[in-house]
Amino acid sequence: MADRDAVALDDPVGESLRGHHAHLARRLGRAATYLPGVATFSAVSTDPDPAEWADLARLLGRGELADMFSCPVIPPPGWEPVFVLEGLQLIWPGGGRPDRPPAETENGVVELGADSVPEMLDLVARAQPGPFWPRTHELGAYVGVRDNGTLVAMAGERLRPPGWTEISAVCTAPEARGRGHAARLVRTLVARVLSRNERPFLHVAAANTRAIALYERLGFEARKHVTFRGFRTP
């Protein structure tokens, strides 16, 4: 779908590192990446020359992962491909509002911070929603659901290009699925993002049709297909 306000989502990593997440960035020339333990995503300009790729390689170090996320440009020869994953970028429609009041949405939802990192990492290991590191929670707010004191579901904010907030790390422990936890957490974050006069967006693997169906039921709309790529630096 066309959306003039969504241009920043064509380079969500670079826009985040230059803006809201500048304090979490490492830079060399026009190449940038996140601090260790926060995220592995890296960014280059829309038309990088060999010197810019060399700067990114020096920034990351020899033999390290260059997680280029949805960046469409390809590194020069000598960068070893590590993974390719087809995905979908979904956005919240302009003018859309949550389908439930914030008070109802946040019922049973708890805040997750630095003291919650061990249990967040444990949940990620069991539910496998995607990359999540010891400092990933510094990217934004994270919320969860506990059952008898055990964290069984969570979701949070990740990339922050201007005017937008990405909802990510949406996951539920295998034993707690089918109870609506993911939907409640996503609704909570949608309401919070909209309250800041920003719009939510998210990414999902194209093969994860169950998650795509959930996000579409909640009100998200597909914007475009993306390809996630990772490379090993020379």
Side-chain angles (χ1 to χ4, degrees):
M1 62 174 292
D3 192 320
R4 290 180 299 174
D5 296 329
V7 174
L9 301 186
D10 291 334
D11 181 21
V13 173
E15 293 282 2
S16 299
L17 287 167
R18 288 187 292 269
H20 193 84
H21 289 158
H23 66 293
L24 297 172
R26 293 186 291 151
R27 297 186 168 281
L28 185 59
R30 293 189 296 174
T33 190
Y34 279 93
L35 294 172
V38 176
T40 58
F41 306 138
S42 298
V44 291
S45 63
T46 56
D47 187 22
D49 57 21
E52 190 170 344
W53 286 112
D55 283 344
L56 181 59
R58 285 194 295 270
L59 187 62
L60 295 173
R62 184 183 298 273
E64 295 296 327
L65 175 66
D67 186 339
M68 302 309 299
F69 200 66
S70 58
C71 178
V73 296
I74 305 298
W79 291 61
E80 177 190 354
V82 176
F83 67 83
V84 177
L85 176 67
E86 297 303 318
L88 195 64
Q89 185 184 81
L90 297 98
I91 64 175
W92 192 261
R97 308 307 301 177
D99 60 353
R100 301 187 185 188
E104 180 182 344
T105 297
E106 299 207 17
N107 184 35
V109 173
V110 298
E111 304 293 331
L112 301 175
D115 58 343
S116 305
V117 167
E119 55 186 335
M120 295 166 80
L121 291 171
D122 177 72
L123 177 58
V124 166
R126 291 188 292 136
Q128 300 185 343
F132 189 89
W133 311 104
R135 296 183 59 188
T136 299
H137 69 281
E138 296 179 30
L139 294 172
Y142 280 78
V143 293
V145 175
R146 287 196 172 92
D147 184 3
N148 292 321
T150 299
L151 184 67
V152 296
M154 75 174 196
E157 301 173 350
R158 191 168 65 177
L159 299 177
R160 293 285 301 276
W164 297 83
T165 295
E166 182 193 25
I167 295 175
S168 183
V170 181
C171 61
T172 303
E175 70 274 10
R177 290 172 182 164
R179 304 178 190 174
H181 294 324
R184 186 158 77 255
L185 292 172
V186 172
R187 286 191 181 105
T188 295
L189 292 172
V190 165
R192 293 187 183 188
V193 172
L194 293 175
S195 73
R196 300 196 299 257
N197 293 318
E198 296 180 348
R199 286 168 62 186
F201 74 109
L202 49 82
H203 293 92
V204 62
N208 194 348
T209 55
R210 183 174 181 179
I212 293 170
L214 168 64
Y215 297 140
E216 290 179 337
R217 285 199 306 272
L218 294 175
F220 285 87
E221 299 175 351
R223 176 177 179 252
K224 67 174 185 176
H225 289 274
V226 295
T227 301
F228 305 109
R229 294 184 176 91
F231 301 87
R232 192 74 60 190
T233 57

